[in-house]
Amino acid sequence: MEIEEAREVRTTCPYCGVGCGVLAKVAADGQVSVRGDPDHPANFGRLCSKGSALAETIDLDGRLLHPEIHGRRAGWNEALDLVASTFSQTIAEHGPDAVAFYVSGQLLTEDYYVANKLMKGFVGSANIDTNSRLCMASSVAGHRRAFGSDTVPGTYEDLELADLIVLVGSNLAWCHPVLYQRIAAAREKRPEIKIVLVDPRRTMTADIADMHLAIAPDGDVALFTGLLAWLGQHNALNRAYITAHTTGFGQALFAASALDLAGVAAATGLSEDELGRFYSLFAATPKTVTVYSQGVNQSSSGTDKVNAIINCHLATGRIGRPGTGPFSVTGQPNAMGGREVGGMANMLAAHMEIENPEHRDRVQRFWNAPAVARKPGLKAVEMFQAVADGRIKALWIMATNPVDSMPDADAVEAAIKACPFVVVSDVLARTDTVRHAHVRLPAAAWGEKDGTVTNSERRISRQRVFLAVPGEARPDWRIIAEVGKRMGFGAAFAHETPAEVFAEHAALSGFENDGARDFDIGAYAGIDGEDYDALVPFQWPAPKPAEGAQAAGGSSSSRFFADGNFYTSDRKARFIAIRPTTEIRTSPDFPLILNTGRVRDHWHTMTRTGKSPRLSQHIAEPFVEIHPADAARQGIGDADIVRVSSLRGEVLVRALVTPRQRQGSLFAPMHWTDQFAATGRLDTLTAPLTDPVSGQPALKHVAARVETFAAKAFGFAVTRQKPASIAAPYWAAARCRGGWRVELAFADDDIDWAGFAASLFGAPPGGDTLAYHDRDAGQHRIAAFDGDQLSGALFVAPGPVAVSRGWAAEQLDVTHAGQRQRFRIVAGRAGADRPDAGAIVCSCFSVGANQIAAAVAGGCTSVEAIGGTLKAGTNCGSCRAEIRTIIQANRVQAAE
Ligand SMILES: Nc1nc2c(c(=O)[nH]1)N[C@H]1C(S)=C(S)[C@@H](COP(=O)(O)OP(=O)(O)OC[C@H]3O[C@@H](n4cnc5c(=O)[nH]c(N)nc54)[C@H](O)[C@@H]3O)O[C@H]1N2
Ligand SMILES: Nc1nc2c(c(=O)[nH]1)N[C@H]1C(S)=C(S)[C@@H](COP(=O)(O)OP(=O)(O)OC[C@H]3O[C@@H](n4cnc5c(=O)[nH]c(N)nc54)[C@H](O)[C@@H]3O)O[C@H]1N2
Ligand code: SF4
Ligand SMILES: [Mo]
């Protein structure tokens, strides 16, 4: 399509499930800028740090631009023919279950719909699973057990209308920042809103909480069954709702009563007093929303956690009414859309069930399909095990990076390497997964393709094109449809546009529905290209209006289940009888529990956020949080390099010693890969242990140990080019404005540092190299110049290198004409005359922790005052919680 210049295009953020509206503009010189869409009902103009930095992540650096077969460039015809013929042949020889698709909640609904249709309707297998298995599966299973359908009952507005918000296993401040800001803003207006955070760690989200329950890992089932029992004992039930709209309450209450309060205290690690305060608050607050995400879902008891929470809401009738409800917030931009198209191995399309012959028959007729899959397919962990043992012989991975994100990642990598035929569709030419593909297919990225996504509150929004498609990249749905055609299913994959795919998906949702199924967007079944282009965000359900009724469109505040009408056979919700169980995974060899998750400014395997200098400066290295007592026991100091290991693998990361971490537990982020660190792939440590109901892996609870890595030398380098390889046992590379910054550690100090520096940033011919060596003190500094530009500088010391990171990185960005200026780089106190900004807190304005601390000392004692002086926190606001924490810490220090 023609791209008009300097026109703002309305689209949707490709990161988290909040689903914020974005206005993207391409200036005449090609510069892209983004801002929040003031009219989008998810964000009303706000964007978080990741959303604000989107323009920094869309360059073509590292893009896969042409199809490749066995590493050589190939034409689309050749590549698609090879994929189609290999899949067809494998199916002919070994049956449909010998092939599989592993897809992603980052596909658009149209992509996902076509992939699911091809596998379930035309290949005739249900071996299509998705990274949503690692993300949402327990919530889906919990919803289906309780409601008979995978329905999220509430809306974002409920978070503003609630009087109590319980956040369970959810680091909203960092992972759903705009929702967090909506809650913070609501609380400014109504300070009586109470917030309880249930998380083993004191995360930044605790900043907003009235009560932080530092629960023992996986103590949640005990906490919420304990709550149900307590509600029963304290006459805090909604008997009318229970009788009219639910079944199974008696058994659920009986099971929940297995533990007395002392038992719950023991299982949760919380005091009876804390429990009593939380339970009374819950009992006394009719308008309660319980928000939950990965601390709940990613557990071997994930589905039980979900149902233990839902049970409490059903028992109090707190569902479907304004300001109430259990609320599973989704992680990926289209986790919900993937569920709607049935893109998981145990679902059929449009929220229909694979086990239900009527549903199968309906979908088969609608698709005019030869063979709809008759049984659920393999779930992610089982799928890769089947790849490993040879049952799956052809695998197509789309928009996900399982070599980094699946549990037991080394085994997953080995399985992929051993698989006879692996296709990967991705936007990048090099990821830890793409490197093993026999066929690489270049996908169009965000901004280059049209489609829809559904956010956590069931709101469907358009992603729109504002950039030209580079090279030969194609949108995912088109790639899949082309393969479908070449496998002989031309009629079913004849769509010309994403609008046609969406219309078909909408038609299926309304097909023979009549209110029997929750997911119905039949109102859009006849949508044409023009209306699709103009589509404004709407919430489902949006059934086809009856004759003579008003035109299409979801309402702005649709909710489910206030008056029952669940999607079970008797239309009543089911209480699930749940007994808390405790499982001890630690052992003398692995005495700690490793908990894993996310940081504020990185997204998953860093394929996009890793490109942004702004986002890479917040946290530039993989790290592990350790409680001071655990660190002391191991002789671990803050900023040491440590080895974290489990039965399956090990990583080297920086130690962050902090009392915010629970004693006995470690926390490490999932983001670092072989592209950004020496040995940072955290999922090499996690186990393929899954929830028995949902198949979701227990990624938050792995037995581990931590010990110091005996580093003899530490290094820090800035380089203009990313080093091709780095000969150090520990390194972590992060983008900075003029190039890259690299943290280093060595087991040995007997190293030819000049040679090492040359291997990092080269010694430009005719260039100038300056060096300073103090062998006795173990101090070495080397800088190389190409003309008057710095090609790289290396700083080596026997302990963590004390050079201002910001200053060093800036040297890549300025010219070095004079010799004196050059010498400053290798002089003793590099950058010491310029105050070190410290770790960057505000990525929008590059304001560091030290600057904020200095401003506090200078009398700025509120987030607003800091904003007034330093601008920190005044753009996206994602760092406001951290600023408040720094203010508190420094005021305490001043008072001491
Ligand atoms: N910045 C950023 N934002 C993101 C993403 C990202 O990569 N980066 N990814 C998106 C995606 S796909 C997802 S799924 C979401 C995830 O969003 P969240 O679920 O909020 O994020 P996590 O950090 O994975 O885990 C949340 C918390 O669960 C806690 N936890 C661990 N074990 C337990 C437990 O047994 N009980 C309880 N109650 N809590 C526990 C952890 O300490 C952690 O703070 O984030 C989305 N947003
Ligand atoms: N230890 C641990 N592991 C975890 C988790 C955890 O909390 N702890 N969380 C889990 C969860 S909740 C999730 S969601 C997963 C996420 O894990 P992944 O899905 O593996 O992570 P991403 O980095 O988002 O991978 C997306 C890939 O798609 C590519 N891509 C981007 N856009 C497109 C596109 O339009 N088309 C195509 N074809 N490709 C595209 C990107 O380049 C990238 O390679 O990780 C899971 N793993
Ligand atoms: S909260 Fe941030 S990452 Fe999530 S959709 Fe909004 S802008 Fe994007
Ligand atoms: Mo996720």
Side-chain angles (χ1 to χ4, degrees):
M1 96 175 226
E2 278 286 305
I3 312 287
E4 261 181 60
E5 280 178 359
R7 184 172 56 99
E8 273 195 322
V9 173
R10 239 169 246 279
T11 184
T12 311
C13 177
Y15 293 121
C16 84
V18 178
C20 297
V22 169
L23 293 171
K25 188 155 88 180
V26 188
D29 64 356
Q31 281 288 323
V32 173
S33 57
V34 299
R35 65 185 178 106
D37 179 352
D39 299 326
H40 196 287
N43 58 319
F44 300 107
R46 293 189 182 93
L47 290 179
C48 75
S49 49
K50 293 183 299 300
S52 307
L54 271 167
E56 285 188 13
T57 62
I58 52 182
D59 61 61
L60 297 186
D61 193 26
R63 280 291 294 271
L64 179 63
L65 295 173
H66 309 280
E68 290 178 8
I69 298 173
H70 296 295
R72 73 168 164 85
R73 181 169 167 181
W76 269 111
N77 272 331
E78 191 193 355
L80 293 168
D81 282 342
L82 178 64
V83 175
S85 63
T86 312
F87 269 77
S88 295
Q89 205 179 331
T90 310
I91 295 162
E93 278 174 30
H94 305 281
D97 291 334
V99 302
F101 295 167
Y102 182 62
V103 304
S104 165
Q106 291 168 78
L107 289 174
L108 304 182
T109 297
E110 292 72 7
D111 306 324
Y112 230 137
Y113 177 85
V114 174
N116 189 55
K117 181 179 182 184
L118 177 56
M119 185 52 85
K120 296 217 179 96
F122 292 81
V123 171
S125 166
N127 278 348
I128 171 168
D129 211 40
T130 143
N131 61 0
S132 284
R133 182 70 56 196
L134 318 177
C135 185
M136 303 311 313
S138 298
S139 280
V140 173
H143 289 153
R144 291 172 79 185
R145 285 208 299 194
F147 309 147
S149 59
D150 176 20
T151 316
V152 173
T155 72
Y156 292 161
E157 199 184 37
D158 292 324
L159 296 167
E160 291 156 339
L161 299 174
D163 296 321
L164 169 63
I165 301 170
V166 186
L167 300 165
V168 193
S170 201
N171 187 5
L172 222 63
W174 279 13
C175 296
H176 297 90
V178 167
L179 267 192
Y180 174 84
Q181 289 176 20
R182 280 182 68 165
I183 294 175
R187 224 231 316 230
E188 298 251 296
K189 286 206 200 103
R190 282 200 303 128
E192 63 274 18
I193 299 179
K194 291 274 182 287
I195 298 169
V196 176
L197 174 67
V198 184
D199 193 309
R201 301 187 297 144
R202 191 172 174 83
T203 60
M204 277 304 149
T205 304
D207 179 55
I208 206 182
D210 299 280
M211 196 187 286
H212 169 221
L213 302 176
I215 194 166
D218 283 337
D220 309 85
V221 168
L223 181 68
F224 286 94
T225 52
L227 173 59
L228 185 66
W230 201 91
L231 294 169
Q233 288 150 13
H234 292 78
N235 213 7
L237 301 168
N238 183 336
R239 294 271 175 200
Y241 191 90
I242 296 173
T243 311
H245 303 305
T246 72
T247 57
F249 178 69
Q251 294 93 313
L253 186 64
F254 178 75
S257 310
L259 293 179
D260 60 9
L261 200 62
V264 175
T268 55
L270 302 169
S271 69
E272 289 185 34
D273 177 53
E274 282 176 300
L275 291 170
R277 280 189 292 133
F278 168 52
Y279 289 174
S280 326
L281 184 60
F282 191 100
T285 320
K287 284 191 175 177
T288 300
V289 178
T290 306
V291 173
Y292 55 92
S293 50
Q294 300 316 338
V296 167
N297 292 332
Q298 289 173 339
S299 160
S300 55
S301 58
T303 310
D304 279 354
K305 290 187 187 186
V306 170
N307 287 110
I309 291 169
I310 293 175
N311 280 350
C312 295
H313 279 269
L314 292 173
T316 48
R318 291 176 193 166
I319 189 165
R321 264 183 266 283
T324 71
F327 203 150
S328 147
V329 284
T330 50
Q332 297 181 91
N334 203 27
M336 291 284 271
R339 287 146 70 170
E340 288 149 26
V341 304
M344 296 172 92
N346 54 330
M347 296 161 81
L348 206 49
H351 282 197
M352 282 181 269
E353 289 166 14
I354 219 165
E355 294 90 344
N356 184 323
E358 228 174 273
H359 289 184
R360 285 202 305 267
D361 174 63
R362 182 179 301 130
V363 174
Q364 183 158 5
R365 283 185 287 116
F366 182 86
W367 279 344
N368 199 10
V372 161
R374 305 185 64 79
K375 59 174 193 338
L378 296 173
K379 298 176 179 143
V381 170
E382 305 162 334
M383 182 183 279
F384 283 97
Q385 284 164 349
V387 173
D389 65 26
R391 275 174 291 152
I392 288 174
K393 297 167 190 357
L395 174 67
W396 188 353
I397 298 166
M398 309 175 200
T400 178
N401 197 355
V403 166
D404 296 320
S405 59
M406 279 287 294
D408 201 7
D410 278 344
V412 168
E413 181 167 37
I416 292 173
K417 272 163 92 170
C419 184
F421 190 66
V422 178
V423 184
V424 178
S425 304
D426 206 289
V427 303
L428 290 193
R430 262 180 76 94
T431 72
D432 294 351
T433 300
V434 171
R435 64 186 170 194
H436 300 303
H438 301 113
V439 180
R440 299 178 183 146
L441 301 176
W446 181 74
E448 301 161 3
K449 59 182 197 174
D450 276 309
T452 55
V453 290
T454 310
N455 74 2
S456 296
E457 60 163 359
R458 289 175 275 106
R459 194 178 299 279
I460 297 178
S461 302
R462 281 289 320 271
Q463 277 196 11
R464 291 188 175 86
V465 172
F466 60 90
L467 296 166
V469 181
E472 294 178 17
R474 291 185 180 177
D476 288 285
W477 72 268
R478 210 180 268 287
I479 302 174
I480 305 157
E482 273 302 319
V483 169
K485 281 183 201 156
R486 283 158 211 252
M487 289 175 77
F489 313 122
F493 297 94
H495 316 91
E496 297 276 334
T497 63
E500 289 175 19
V501 180
F502 184 78
E504 182 180 315
H505 164 60
L508 175 55
S509 76
F511 184 55
E512 300 174 0
N513 189 334
D514 299 321
R517 308 190 304 267
D518 65 336
F519 179 65
D520 188 344
I521 54 166
Y524 296 89
I527 196 167
D528 60 15
E530 212 172 300
D531 286 345
Y532 183 75
D533 277 343
L535 190 69
V536 293
F538 71 96
Q539 248 180 331
W540 63 259
K544 195 180 173 88
E547 291 297 320
Q550 280 210 325
S555 72
S556 63
S557 61
S558 67
R559 292 183 181 86
F560 282 89
F561 309 143
D563 304 311
N565 271 323
F566 293 89
Y567 293 92
T568 51
S569 50
D570 57 6
R571 307 241 62 175
K572 290 187 172 187
R574 297 186 202 107
F575 277 95
I576 306 296
I578 295 161
R579 262 171 217 287
T581 50
T582 39
E583 199 184 327
I584 295 178
R585 275 176 216 155
T586 51
S587 64
D589 279 347
F590 300 105
L592 300 169
I593 290 168
L594 173 65
N595 167 15
T596 69
R598 292 160 169 77
V599 302
R600 191 189 76 194
D601 286 357
H602 275 308
W603 177 262
H604 297 163
T605 68
M606 286 167 51
T607 56
R608 286 177 284 173
T609 50
K611 287 177 159 221
S612 159
R614 226 205 289 180
L615 297 178
S616 300
Q617 60 184 354
H618 179 237
I619 295 176
E621 269 184 294
F623 64 89
V624 64
E625 285 180 5
I626 313 173
H627 187 271
D630 294 325
R633 197 167 308 117
Q634 293 294 316
I636 293 169
D638 197 30
D640 280 355
I641 303 295
V642 292
R643 175 181 287 114
V644 184
S645 44
S646 78
L647 203 53
R648 286 158 212 284
E650 60 178 56
V651 291
L652 289 181
V653 296
R654 187 79 64 178
L656 190 81
V657 179
T658 166
R660 302 178 78 92
Q661 176 58 54
R662 202 186 140 82
Q663 202 170 336
S665 287
L666 305 168
F667 174 84
M670 62 169 290
H671 307 292
W672 275 267
T673 68
D674 287 354
Q675 311 298 320
F676 293 96
T679 44
R681 286 171 53 226
L682 190 72
D683 273 313
T684 58
L685 273 66
T686 53
L689 175 76
T690 57
D691 175 272
V693 186
S694 68
Q696 180 156 354
L699 292 165
K700 301 255 182 282
H701 190 156
V702 186
R705 72 166 170 256
V706 59
E707 55 220 330
T708 42
F709 167 75
K712 283 235 175 81
F714 290 79
F716 172 72
V718 291
T719 67
R720 185 162 298 281
Q721 305 293 337
K722 188 177 182 194
S725 70
I726 303 174
Y730 176 81
W731 62 262
R735 275 303 307 259
C736 60
R737 208 157 295 284
W740 291 82
R741 43 177 285 190
V742 188
E743 298 286 346
L744 297 149
F746 306 84
D748 210 331
D749 54 3
D750 183 21
I751 289 173
D752 163 19
W753 294 110
F756 180 79
S759 77
L760 273 188
F761 41 77
D768 188 6
T769 300
L770 297 178
Y772 164 88
H773 299 280
D774 179 345
R775 272 170 231 291
D776 294 338
Q779 298 273 359
H780 306 266
R781 296 175 215 118
I782 298 157
F785 299 86
D786 186 4
D788 49 16
Q789 294 218 305
L790 180 67
S791 328
L794 170 69
F795 307 88
V796 177
V801 176
V803 74
S804 161
R805 276 26 180 191
W807 172 85
E810 261 169 37
Q811 303 312 304
L812 292 169
D813 231 12
V814 295
T815 51
H816 300 267
Q819 200 64 1
R820 265 188 64 190
Q821 205 188 352
R822 295 179 178 208
F823 271 115
R824 275 169 52 102
I825 294 182
V826 293
R829 295 163 61 245
D833 55 338
R834 215 204 68 172
D836 185 357
I840 297 300
V841 173
C842 168
S843 27
C844 295
F845 296 111
S846 294
V847 182
N850 296 352
Q851 287 169 287
I852 297 169
V856 178
C860 298
T861 49
S862 70
V863 177
E864 284 64 38
I866 296 286
T869 316
L870 299 171
K871 284 174 93 176
T874 57
N875 181 39
C876 78
S878 297
C879 60
R880 291 169 69 89
E882 280 155 281
I883 295 176
R884 204 182 329 272
T885 310
I886 296 170
I887 295 173
Q888 276 155 5
N890 286 277
R891 287 177 74 179
V892 172
Q893 255 175 19
E896 270 169 359

